[in-house]
Amino acid sequence: QGGGGSASPTATTGSATSGAASGSAGNPNDLLAKIKQAGVIRVSTDPNYAPQSFQKPDGTFEGFDIDVANEVAKRLGVTVKFITPDFSAVQSGGWAARWDMSVGSMTITEPRKKVLDFTEPYYFTPAQMSASKKSGITTLDGLAGKKICVGEQTTYQFWLEGTLKLGDGSSTAPVPQGAKVTTLKTDQDCAQSLKSGRSDFEGWLSSSSTVDDAIKAGTPVVKVGTPVFYEPLGVAFDNKGAPPHSELLAAVKKIIQEMHADGTLTTLSKKWFNGADLTTKS
Amino acid sequence: MTGNDLQPAGSLPPHVGDVVLRAREIEKYFGHNHVLRGVNLDVRQREAVMIIGRSGSGKTTFLRCLNFLEEPTVGWVEIDGVRADANPLGARDRGHRERVRRLRLNAGMVFQEFNLFPHMTALGNCTEAPMRVRGLDRRRAEELADRFLAKVGLADKRNEYPSRLSGGQKQRVAIARALCMEPRVLLFDEPTSALDPELIGEVLQVMEELAHEGATMIVVTHEMHFAREAADRVIFMEEGIVCEEGPPEQVLNAPEDERTRRFLRRFLNVE
Amino acid sequence: MTGNDLQPAGSLPPHVGDVVLRAREIEKYFGHNHVLRGVNLDVRQREAVMIIGRSGSGKTTFLRCLNFLEEPTVGWVEIDGVRADANPLGARDRGHRERVRRLRLNAGMVFQEFNLFPHMTALGNCTEAPMRVRGLDRRRAEELADRFLAKVGLADKRNEYPSRLSGGQKQRVAIARALCMEPRVLLFDEPTSALDPELIGEVLQVMEELAHEGATMIVVTHEMHFAREAADRVIFMEEGIVCEEGPPEQVLNAPEDERTRRFLRRFLNVE
Amino acid sequence: MTSAEIPASGSGPIVERIAAARRTARRLWRLEFALVWLALVLGIVWVLAATGNVDLEFVQTWTPFILGGVGFTLLVCVSSIIGAVVLALLGALGRLSANPLINGLASFYVSLVRGTPLLVQIYFVYYGLPQVGIILDALPAGILALSFNYGAYMTEIFRAGIQAVPRGQQEAAEALGMPSRLVFRRVILPQAFRIVIPAIGNEFIAMIKDSSLVSIIGLQEILWRAGTAGRPILKTIPAFLIAALFYWVLTIIFSFFQERLERRLARSDVR
Amino acid sequence: MTSAEIPASGSGPIVERIAAARRTARRLWRLEFALVWLALVLGIVWVLAATGNVDLEFVQTWTPFILGGVGFTLLVCVSSIIGAVVLALLGALGRLSANPLINGLASFYVSLVRGTPLLVQIYFVYYGLPQVGIILDALPAGILALSFNYGAYMTEIFRAGIQAVPRGQQEAAEALGMPSRLVFRRVILPQAFRIVIPAIGNEFIAMIKDSSLVSIIGLQEILWRAGTAGRPILKTIPAFLIAALFYWVLTIIFSFFQERLERRLARSDVR
Ligand SMILES: Nc1ncnc2c1ncn2[C@@H]1O[C@H](COP(=O)(O)OP(=O)(O)OP(=O)(O)O)[C@@H](O)[C@H]1O
Ligand SMILES: Nc1ncnc2c1ncn2[C@@H]1O[C@H](COP(=O)(O)OP(=O)(O)OP(=O)(O)O)[C@@H](O)[C@H]1O
Ligand SMILES: [Mg+2]
Ligand SMILES: [Mg+2]
């Protein structure tokens, strides 16, 4: 799985392994040492989000996040076991050591930083506004006073409600005047609603790749305007997890930096996001 | 009228009138079990007919066939000019169902287990069918009900629910309920066998009065003393046929049929 | 022995032995309803005592107090040397419960409604308690059960479930079940009143045999004929006390007490 | 307390003393029972507080918002239960019908709806029906799905209730000449309703919680609001606890009324 | 078919002719019934196909994946139902206990668990218990939560079942001197079990679908797999349809066995 692994230069892999080896020389109680001993790192993922994470009919996982996770594990010298808990449980911390790491396109936000430790962003998702064809709206301002659908508890909802605080301090576009929020269980349910022929709302805000896929699947929407913000997405760790994890955090932070530097992430991004490089905001 | 009248064995008591109920060649199978094997019966107005016989001889089944609570396999029944023929597959035949319903209007039934409607008072039990089936208005239905409740000695219990009545009282309400339809014939299936000995007296007394006042009735019973006193005619059944029939003195004291003799011997032994 | 023996009214039949059951000053309240007002009873070995009386006079309650299925309010019962005192609040008193349990081992009870265990065969019903309470092994328990099933004429029904037995057969299995505990005293509460007339004979015959073979028994009954034939002593109860007591000829034919006379008159009227 | 003291001590008639002792014991029992509950509730609160799940500020801020879902939950439940009862009545009639078309339709409905998850049904009504041109708002869609779902389960409850009305009731009504519609409406249905009330109450309690599934189509009932309140500030567990508390209180209140209703019906329901 | 022809036509004894006519009618009825089902199934498939929800390629690709959840669902359900039965037995004993401590505990358990949503309970067991040091894997956590939840509902079922065993059964066992444990184990429990089997079957069917809630803790059962397969490519409806079909088939298979078991028990259960 994940062609991304073969794209990475062997030399980089070697250096990461040596870095990790020096870590294990440190604290034998650190999560890093335990993972290495087990040879497996448990990574949480929510396979409801293509192309970041989804399942093949044989039950194996694939997607951008999956490739990133596999590459990180490879550079740590271990293999990955994917776990699929409810997203709300992942983001609230208190993992009870059931999994070690989240590579789940989690937006780095201020509240989450209180319970989770994040690496630097490994990529950025553009938040793309779209409007139903029926509404005839073609600009962001056209959505003023209209209803906009978002997935429950997503950064998109928080942005619309004006409570979004991105963890990297980056700014966001202004919300269309008087826009009303409609939430459904997931982003895809908004698309499903429009595709079913319902017209409970005019706008839909989701990641640009989700919007692209929905358009490809025949959902009657058009993109309006440029991305309203870029979500910084990082690898996360439970910050009050029982075994100390500072060495693991340091090791993964280093690996992410290396993956940015050696172009691995760019390659993977282009592979999964229709040739777009989302590793930087642009 | 279709049927030729049967000649009852023995002479008729003087007070009886015309034939009101005719049953001809009633046969009944339960599956392959031939329970009634051709029973004929004519009952005249003001006649009290008692049916006796051992357990399983078909007494209850015959009584239930008379008002089609059990559909006979063969034969027909005519009550007060309404005739219904056996129609063993007629459950979905509307015409048949309607005929049976009209026939039942003339045949009041009193069940062994009372079967009072528990969610209605004594009065409600008595007025329900008169109001909704005979179409009487409430005032007239209640007048009628009060009259018959008084007759069975329960004028003061008219507003009680069945759960607050004793067994004998329940059975008497059931009799009043049947009387309120003013049927031509009353059918009783062992009306006292669900009662304890103390309560039997109440019910038998009411029935004896009814008999003396000239109600037409057919009673399945195990109470030999009662049969002896109140019956105009006693019928002894065995294995789905009528073995012996006649005035009570004859059937009960000097039975001709060997099976009747054996039955009565066993029976009186026990008591 | 604690109690001083009562002097039974009338002379004792010659075949009876020592006193096996003593009940003293049994009183029972249901709430404020004073149902038993001080009943005394001594029963000797091989004696057959029949209790008669009108409905509600407390016969069933007294019988149930004898083996503490109903906890008496006052008084005590002693059966074969095991004595239990009334303990109306003793439901959670372990010592009392254990005494009552041991007392019950000597008192077999046959219920009006049979109360056979529906999930066990006739044999299972008869062996369950002997095996698990008396501690007999399966072989001996089955021997015993077969003997008593044969005695009540049901040897061939040993492997039937109760649902496939007639009422009379069920009642006889219930008798066999009680006999299998080889109790000193048998208690019967109207053992035939749930049966139809045909089945009564079966059960009465078994009981009469038991009486003639010298079983000690106390029977609540409405069957006057049976009482007359099988009783050594008849007790007439009214409103929670014993009004009259003596040999059957005396109590049933020449009662001294006015209430007994009234009761018997009413009763024989109905029959 | 040892029971031996009771009859001996105190003055006044024994029945008063026993009653007093019983009352004391009952009061003590209730007290102990209440203390157990209190201890358990306090225990839970203590554990929750100790693990930092009781955040008073959070409770203060968000309780009104979550409470706002109660009205919504009740609106959905009450409407749905009414719809379900109507569907269940029709369904039960269909399931008991002799007409293969009607019977087939009804049993298909029951099988399909009981056989598939409520979540799928809600999803289907909201997102699937628009494909055939039926576009419902979230509220009617949720109520429709819940009505259909519970209607299927309750069909079986009603069917059992109708079948539990003793056969004799129907026969008694038929013997009075009542046509079958009248028999059903006046005799069977009122009795069936009494029988099924407890089961319907259970369904309502279950529905109070199942109604949380309608949040999948964006209806803001209790649980959804709790999730919404808790998640952004990562307090899912405290938020869920508040929701659970509301549900619990709702069911306790409802159970209280249900028990009273049942007890009232039970009083007049004794046959 | 009109029934009047039947007895007239054909040869052989009437009982054979009636039986033959009944058989034909029954066969016809079954055929019509089956045709109704067939028509409904085809109708649904047709509508689904016409609205483009039957995507054969999708079905082919994803069915095995979704099917993979069946084993999981069954594993969870079977384990949970076993756990629930054990809890329910203890709960029912507690609810019937005279000890206020035990009774209080049991009734608190029932009230709390029936009063709060299953979803919250699952969430709590998985994410809440670790706060007090109890860390369970998803599978045992899911089974534990389901067991506790259904255990509470089934406690009430068992309690009702135990109370439905006629009081006479306990009295009969006690009269045989059986101590209370033995009475419960050998007499009450076996009969209670038979009574509650249908209700337990219903719970199992409900659980098959409720088990989908365990997906919140990452267990990949049928419905979760369907959502995962369908959502990313906006084929949620076809995916859910496949899941619904699996659930339906599962419940049909299960109902079939349940009915057979019930019918077998019913045969020997007649009292
Ligand atoms: N619904 C039924 N289905 C099958 N067989 C039946 C049915 N009702 C009665 N029978 C059988 O028909 C026969 C006659 O029964 P019936 O009830 O008419 O007897 P009975 O003379 O009233 O007896 P009893 O004095 O015991 O009431 C019996 O052998 C009985 O087993
Ligand atoms: N469990 C009970 N609770 C309250 N009162 C009861 C109870 N059992 C019996 N009684 C009352 O006690 C009185 C005596 O009842 P009991 O059953 O002993 O009478 P009985 O002599 O056996 O009558 P029968 O011949 O009708 O069986 C009656 O007034 C009855 O109402
Ligand atoms: Mg009969
Ligand atoms: Mg009695």
Side-chain angles (χ1 to χ4, degrees), chain D residues 200-246:
Chain D
I200 291 182
N202 277 342
E203 292 295 300
F204 191 78
I205 287 182
M207 191 191 264
I208 289 178
K209 283 153 289 130
D210 261 2
S211 65
S212 66
L213 290 180
V214 298
S215 67
I216 194 184
I217 52 176
L219 289 180
Q220 312 196 344
E221 47 64 70
I222 301 176
L223 198 58
W224 184 89
R225 282 172 181 244
T228 304
R231 245 174 241 141
I233 48 168
L234 312 177
K235 301 237 178 204
T236 316
I237 290 182
F240 271 6
L241 286 177
I242 296 175
L245 185 68
F246 285 152

Coordinates of all heavy atoms in Angstrom, one line a residue, chain D residues 200-246:
Chain D
I200 N -46.6 -0.4 25.8 CA -46.5 0.8 25.1 C -45.6 1.8 25.9 O -44.8 2.6 25.4 CB -47.9 1.4 24.8 CG1 -48.6 0.6 23.8 CG2 -47.8 2.8 24.3 CD1 -50.0 1.1 23.4
G201 N -45.8 1.8 27.2 CA -45.0 2.7 28.1 C -43.5 2.4 27.9 O -42.7 3.3 27.8
N202 N -43.2 1.1 27.9 CA -41.8 0.7 27.7 C -41.3 1.3 26.3 O -40.2 1.8 26.2 CB -41.7 -0.8 27.6 CG -41.5 -1.3 29.0 OD1 -41.3 -0.6 30.0 ND2 -41.8 -2.6 29.2
E203 N -42.1 1.1 25.3 CA -41.7 1.6 24.0 C -41.4 3.1 24.0 O -40.5 3.6 23.4 CB -42.8 1.3 23.0 CG -42.9 -0.2 22.7 CD -41.7 -0.8 22.0 OE1 -41.4 -0.3 20.9 OE2 -41.2 -1.7 22.6
F204 N -42.3 3.8 24.8 CA -42.1 5.3 24.8 C -40.8 5.6 25.5 O -40.0 6.5 25.1 CB -43.3 5.9 25.6 CG -43.3 7.4 25.5 CD1 -43.8 8.0 24.4 CD2 -42.9 8.2 26.6 CE1 -43.8 9.4 24.3 CE2 -42.9 9.6 26.5 CZ -43.4 10.2 25.3
I205 N -40.5 4.9 26.6 CA -39.2 5.1 27.3 C -38.0 4.8 26.4 O -37.1 5.6 26.3 CB -39.1 4.3 28.6 CG1 -40.1 4.8 29.6 CG2 -37.7 4.2 29.1 CD1 -40.0 4.1 30.9
A206 N -38.1 3.7 25.6 CA -37.1 3.4 24.7 C -37.0 4.5 23.6 O -35.9 4.9 23.2 CB -37.3 2.1 24.0
M207 N -38.1 5.0 23.2 CA -38.1 6.0 22.1 C -37.4 7.3 22.6 O -36.8 8.0 21.8 CB -39.5 6.3 21.6 CG -39.5 7.1 20.4 SD -41.2 7.7 20.0 CE -41.7 6.4 18.9
I208 N -37.6 7.7 23.9 CA -37.0 8.9 24.4 C -35.5 8.9 24.1 O -35.0 9.9 23.7 CB -37.3 9.0 25.9 CG1 -38.7 9.4 26.2 CG2 -36.4 10.1 26.5 CD1 -39.1 9.5 27.6
K209 N -35.0 7.7 24.2 CA -33.5 7.6 23.9 C -33.2 7.4 22.4 O -32.3 8.0 21.9 CB -32.9 6.6 24.8 CG -32.7 7.1 26.2 CD -32.7 6.1 27.3 CE -34.1 5.5 27.5 NZ -34.0 4.0 27.4
D210 N -34.0 6.5 21.8 CA -33.7 6.3 20.4 C -33.9 7.6 19.6 O -33.3 7.7 18.5 CB -34.7 5.3 19.8 CG -34.0 3.9 19.8 OD1 -32.9 3.8 20.2 OD2 -34.7 2.9 19.3
S211 N -34.7 8.5 20.1 CA -34.9 9.7 19.3 C -33.6 10.5 19.0 O -33.6 11.3 18.2 CB -36.0 10.6 20.0 OG -35.4 11.1 21.2
S212 N -32.6 10.1 19.8 CA -31.4 10.9 19.6 C -30.8 10.6 18.2 O -30.0 11.4 17.7 CB -30.3 10.5 20.7 OG -30.0 9.1 20.6
L213 N -31.2 9.5 17.6 CA -30.7 9.2 16.3 C -31.1 10.2 15.3 O -30.5 10.3 14.2 CB -31.1 7.8 15.9 CG -30.5 6.6 16.7 CD1 -31.0 5.3 16.1 CD2 -29.0 6.7 16.5
V214 N -32.2 10.9 15.5 CA -32.6 11.9 14.5 C -31.6 13.0 14.3 O -31.7 13.8 13.4 CB -34.0 12.5 14.8 CG1 -35.1 11.4 14.8 CG2 -34.0 13.3 16.1
S215 N -30.6 13.1 15.2 CA -29.6 14.1 15.1 C -28.8 13.9 13.8 O -28.2 14.8 13.3 CB -28.7 14.2 16.3 OG -27.9 13.0 16.3
I216 N -28.9 12.7 13.2 CA -28.1 12.4 12.0 C -28.6 13.3 10.9 O -27.9 13.6 9.9 CB -28.2 11.0 11.6 CG1 -27.1 10.7 10.5 CG2 -29.6 10.6 11.1 CD1 -27.2 9.2 10.0
I217 N -29.9 13.8 11.0 CA -30.4 14.7 9.9 C -30.5 16.1 10.5 O -31.2 16.9 10.0 CB -31.7 14.2 9.4 CG1 -32.7 13.9 10.5 CG2 -31.5 12.9 8.6 CD1 -34.1 13.5 10.0
G218 N -29.7 16.4 11.5 CA -29.5 17.8 11.9 C -30.6 18.3 12.9 O -30.7 19.5 13.0
L219 N -31.3 17.4 13.5 CA -32.3 17.9 14.5 C -31.6 18.0 15.9 O -30.9 17.1 16.3 CB -33.5 16.9 14.6 CG -34.4 16.9 13.4 CD1 -35.5 15.9 13.6 CD2 -34.9 18.3 13.2
Q220 N -31.9 19.1 16.5 CA -31.1 19.5 17.7 C -31.7 19.0 19.0 O -32.1 19.7 19.8 CB -30.9 21.0 17.7 CG -30.5 21.6 16.4 CD -29.9 23.0 16.6 OE1 -30.1 23.6 17.6 NE2 -29.3 23.4 15.5
E221 N -31.7 17.7 19.1 CA -32.3 17.2 20.4 C -31.2 17.1 21.5 O -30.1 17.5 21.2 CB -33.0 15.8 20.2 CG -32.3 14.8 19.4 CD -31.1 14.3 20.0 OE1 -31.2 13.7 21.1 OE2 -30.0 14.7 19.6
I222 N -31.6 16.5 22.6 CA -30.7 16.6 23.8 C -29.2 16.2 23.5 O -28.3 16.9 23.8 CB -31.3 15.8 24.9 CG1 -32.7 16.3 25.3 CG2 -30.4 15.9 26.2 CD1 -33.3 15.4 26.4
L223 N -29.1 15.0 23.0 CA -27.8 14.4 22.9 C -27.0 15.1 21.9 O -25.8 15.4 22.1 CB -27.9 12.9 22.4 CG -26.7 12.0 22.7 CD1 -26.3 12.0 24.1 CD2 -27.0 10.6 22.2
W224 N -27.6 15.6 20.8 CA -26.9 16.4 19.8 C -26.3 17.7 20.4 O -25.2 18.1 20.2 CB -27.8 16.7 18.6 CG -27.1 17.4 17.5 CD1 -26.5 16.8 16.4 CD2 -27.0 18.8 17.3 NE1 -26.0 17.8 15.6 CE2 -26.3 19.0 16.1 CE3 -27.4 19.9 18.1 CZ2 -26.0 20.3 15.7 CZ3 -27.1 21.2 17.6 CH2 -26.4 21.3 16.4
R225 N -27.2 18.3 21.2 CA -26.8 19.6 21.8 C -25.7 19.3 22.8 O -24.7 20.1 22.8 CB -28.0 20.2 22.5 CG -29.0 20.9 21.6 CD -30.2 21.3 22.3 NE -31.1 22.0 21.4 CZ -31.5 23.3 21.5 NH1 -31.0 24.0 22.4 NH2 -32.3 23.8 20.6
A226 N -25.7 18.2 23.5 CA -24.7 17.9 24.4 C -23.3 17.8 23.6 O -22.3 18.3 24.0 CB -25.0 16.6 25.2
G227 N -23.4 17.0 22.5 CA -22.2 16.8 21.7 C -21.7 18.2 21.2 O -20.5 18.5 21.3
T228 N -22.6 19.0 20.8 CA -22.2 20.3 20.2 C -21.6 21.2 21.3 O -20.6 21.9 21.0 CB -23.5 21.0 19.7 OG1 -24.1 20.2 18.7 CG2 -23.1 22.3 19.1
A229 N -22.1 21.1 22.5 CA -21.6 21.9 23.6 C -20.3 21.4 24.0 O -19.4 22.2 24.2 CB -22.6 21.9 24.7
G230 N -20.1 20.1 24.1 CA -18.9 19.6 24.7 C -17.7 19.5 23.8 O -16.6 19.7 24.2
R231 N -18.0 19.2 22.5 CA -16.9 18.9 21.6 C -15.9 20.0 21.4 O -14.7 19.8 21.5 CB -17.4 18.3 20.3 CG -17.0 16.9 20.2 CD -17.6 16.3 18.9 NE -18.4 15.2 19.3 CZ -19.6 14.9 18.7 NH1 -20.0 15.7 17.8 NH2 -20.3 13.9 19.1
P232 N -16.3 21.2 21.0 CA -15.4 22.2 20.7 C -14.4 22.5 21.8 O -13.3 22.8 21.6 CB -16.2 23.5 20.4 CG -17.6 23.0 20.2 CD -17.7 21.7 20.9
I233 N -14.9 22.4 23.1 CA -14.0 22.7 24.2 C -13.6 21.4 24.8 O -13.1 21.3 25.9 CB -14.7 23.6 25.2 CG1 -16.1 23.1 25.5 CG2 -14.8 25.0 24.7 CD1 -16.7 23.7 26.7
L234 N -13.7 20.3 24.0 CA -13.2 19.0 24.4 C -13.7 18.5 25.7 O -12.9 18.0 26.6 CB -11.6 19.1 24.4 CG -11.1 19.7 23.1 CD1 -9.6 19.9 23.2 CD2 -11.5 18.9 21.9
K235 N -15.0 18.7 26.0 CA -15.6 18.2 27.2 C -16.7 17.3 26.9 O -17.8 17.4 27.4 CB -16.1 19.4 28.0 CG -15.1 20.4 28.4 CD -15.1 20.6 29.9 CE -14.0 21.6 30.2 NZ -13.5 21.5 31.5
T236 N -16.5 16.3 26.0 CA -17.6 15.4 25.6 C -18.2 14.7 26.8 O -19.4 14.6 26.9 CB -17.0 14.4 24.6 OG1 -16.2 15.1 23.7 CG2 -18.2 13.8 23.8
I237 N -17.3 14.2 27.7 CA -17.9 13.3 28.7 C -18.8 14.1 29.7 O -19.9 13.7 29.9 CB -16.7 12.6 29.5 CG1 -16.2 11.5 28.5 CG2 -17.3 11.9 30.7 CD1 -15.1 10.7 29.1
P238 N -18.3 15.3 30.2 CA -19.2 16.1 31.0 C -20.5 16.4 30.3 O -21.6 16.3 30.9 CB -18.4 17.4 31.3 CG -17.0 17.0 31.1 CD -17.0 15.9 30.1
A239 N -20.4 16.7 29.0 CA -21.6 17.1 28.3 C -22.6 15.9 28.2 O -23.8 16.0 28.4 CB -21.2 17.6 26.9
F240 N -22.0 14.8 27.8 CA -22.8 13.6 27.8 C -23.5 13.2 29.1 O -24.6 12.7 29.2 CB -22.0 12.4 27.3 CG -21.9 12.2 25.8 CD1 -22.5 13.2 25.0 CD2 -21.3 11.1 25.2 CE1 -22.5 13.1 23.6 CE2 -21.3 11.0 23.8 CZ -21.9 12.0 23.0
L241 N -22.7 13.5 30.2 CA -23.3 13.2 31.5 C -24.5 14.1 31.7 O -25.5 13.6 32.3 CB -22.2 13.5 32.6 CG -21.2 12.4 32.7 CD1 -20.1 12.8 33.7 CD2 -21.8 11.0 33.0
I242 N -24.4 15.4 31.3 CA -25.6 16.2 31.5 C -26.8 15.7 30.7 O -27.9 15.6 31.2 CB -25.3 17.7 31.1 CG1 -24.2 18.2 32.0 CG2 -26.5 18.5 31.1 CD1 -23.8 19.6 31.6
A243 N -26.5 15.3 29.5 CA -27.6 14.7 28.6 C -28.2 13.5 29.3 O -29.4 13.3 29.4 CB -27.0 14.4 27.3
A244 N -27.3 12.6 29.8 CA -27.8 11.3 30.4 C -28.7 11.7 31.6 O -29.7 11.0 31.8 CB -26.6 10.5 30.8
L245 N -28.3 12.7 32.3 CA -29.1 13.1 33.5 C -30.5 13.5 33.1 O -31.5 13.1 33.6 CB -28.4 14.2 34.2 CG -29.1 14.6 35.5 CD1 -28.9 13.5 36.6 CD2 -28.4 15.9 36.1
F246 N -30.5 14.3 32.0 CA -31.9 14.7 31.5 C -32.7 13.6 31.1 O -33.9 13.5 31.4 CB -31.7 15.7 30.3 CG -31.3 17.1 30.8 CD1 -30.5 17.9 29.9 CD2 -31.6 17.6 32.0 CE1 -30.1 19.1 30.3 CE2 -31.2 18.8 32.4 CZ -30.4 19.6 31.6

